[in-house]
């Protein structure tokens, strides 16, 4: 769950930070291509293995993004009372379980295409790629994409 949440947060932060800075435009295609190249190298995937693995990988992420959109929609506004909050939390819990089921299903499919060891290495490489990208964004744009966050400001307000 942490990996998929990190992926979504990283993509959102990258989009916000780059658009706020105006220096470079975020390219989802370049980001995905860089990630696939990194995962291929770190997991030691052969071209044949990568050809089998990445269509499943992309399909899994596409289905997960649809669930993330549902979560964002459900949590867009603060519910008015405890009953509505409980209903929202229950819905988010169901959606998070759905995310895990998608992940489990695709891990099984991936292990039919390539070895479990390489699936595991690919998952770890993806997480590492996202951590490294986040560190790069923080050093360039400050914490969470806001400039000057390291110089005493946080979320646009003085600490």
């Amino acid at each position: 769950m942490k990996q998929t949440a990190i992926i979504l947060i990283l993509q959102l932060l990258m989009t916000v930070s780059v658009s706020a800075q105006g220096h470079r435009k975020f390219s989802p295609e370049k980001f995905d291509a860089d990630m696939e190249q990194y995962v291929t190298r770190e997991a030691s995937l052969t071209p044949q293995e990568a050809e089998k693995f990445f269509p499943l990988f992309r399909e899994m992420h596409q289905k997960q993004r649809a669930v993330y959109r549902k979560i964002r929609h459900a949590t867009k506004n603060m519910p008015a009372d405890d009953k509505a909050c409980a209903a929202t939390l229950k819905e988010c819990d169901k959606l998070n379980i759905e995310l895990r089921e998608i992940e489990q299903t695709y891990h099984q499919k991936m292990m039919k295409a390539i070895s479990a060891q390489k699936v595991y290495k690919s998952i770890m490489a993806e997480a590492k790629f996202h951590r490294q990208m986040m560190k790069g964004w923080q050093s360039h744009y400050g914490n969470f994409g806001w400039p000057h966050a390291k110089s005493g400001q946080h979320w646009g307000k003085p600490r």
Side-chain angles (χ1 to χ4, degrees):
M1 177 173 158
K2 288 181 182 179
Q3 290 174 328
T4 53
I6 289 171
I7 292 168
L8 179 66
I9 290 168
L10 289 173
Q11 289 178 343
L12 176 64
L13 288 175
M14 180 61 175
T15 302
V16 169
S17 66
V18 171
S19 65
Q21 292 295 318
H23 294 284
R24 314 178 240 167
K25 294 193 181 204
F26 176 70
S27 167
E29 296 81 16
K30 180 170 177 7
F31 180 87
D32 289 342
D34 289 347
M35 181 177 51
E36 287 183 15
Q37 183 180 28
Y38 183 84
V39 168
T40 300
R41 184 177 63 249
E42 290 293 306
S44 303
L45 298 177
T46 66
Q48 296 80 16
E49 289 170 329
E51 190 176 304
K52 293 176 186 175
F53 175 78
F54 284 111
L56 295 169
F57 182 79
R58 287 185 215 107
E59 190 176 310
M60 177 182 74
H61 283 274
Q62 182 180 2
K63 288 185 179 186
Q64 287 175 324
R65 280 192 291 274
V67 176
Y68 283 125
R69 280 191 288 277
K70 291 178 187 177
I71 292 171
R72 279 194 311 275
H73 179 69
T75 59
K76 185 176 181 179
N77 298 313
M78 176 68 178
D81 56 25
D82 272 356
K83 186 176 180 179
C85 284
T88 299
L89 288 170
K90 188 175 181 179
E91 177 65 18
C92 287
D93 288 344
K94 286 165 78 176
L95 291 168
N96 279 308
I97 290 169
E98 186 178 338
L99 283 170
R100 297 293 67 80
E101 289 171 347
I102 290 168
E103 199 170 68
Q104 184 179 30
T105 299
Y106 277 88
H107 289 168
Q108 294 298 319
K109 289 179 181 183
M110 291 171 186
M111 286 188 293
K112 289 179 181 175
I114 63 174
S115 73
Q117 186 176 41
K118 290 205 176 182
V119 171
Y120 181 84
K121 285 180 178 182
S122 298
I123 293 165
M124 295 300 108
E126 178 192 12
K128 185 176 177 183
F129 176 82
H130 285 107
R131 282 192 306 274
Q132 289 177 347
M133 292 299 288
M134 180 60 107
K135 284 180 185 178
W137 295 330
Q138 286 178 346
S139 67
H140 188 268
Y141 294 111
N143 293 333
F144 301 104
W146 279 265
H148 314 297
K150 291 182 180 180
S151 62
Q153 290 185 354
H154 183 67
W155 298 93
K157 298 178 184 175
R159 287 186 188 179

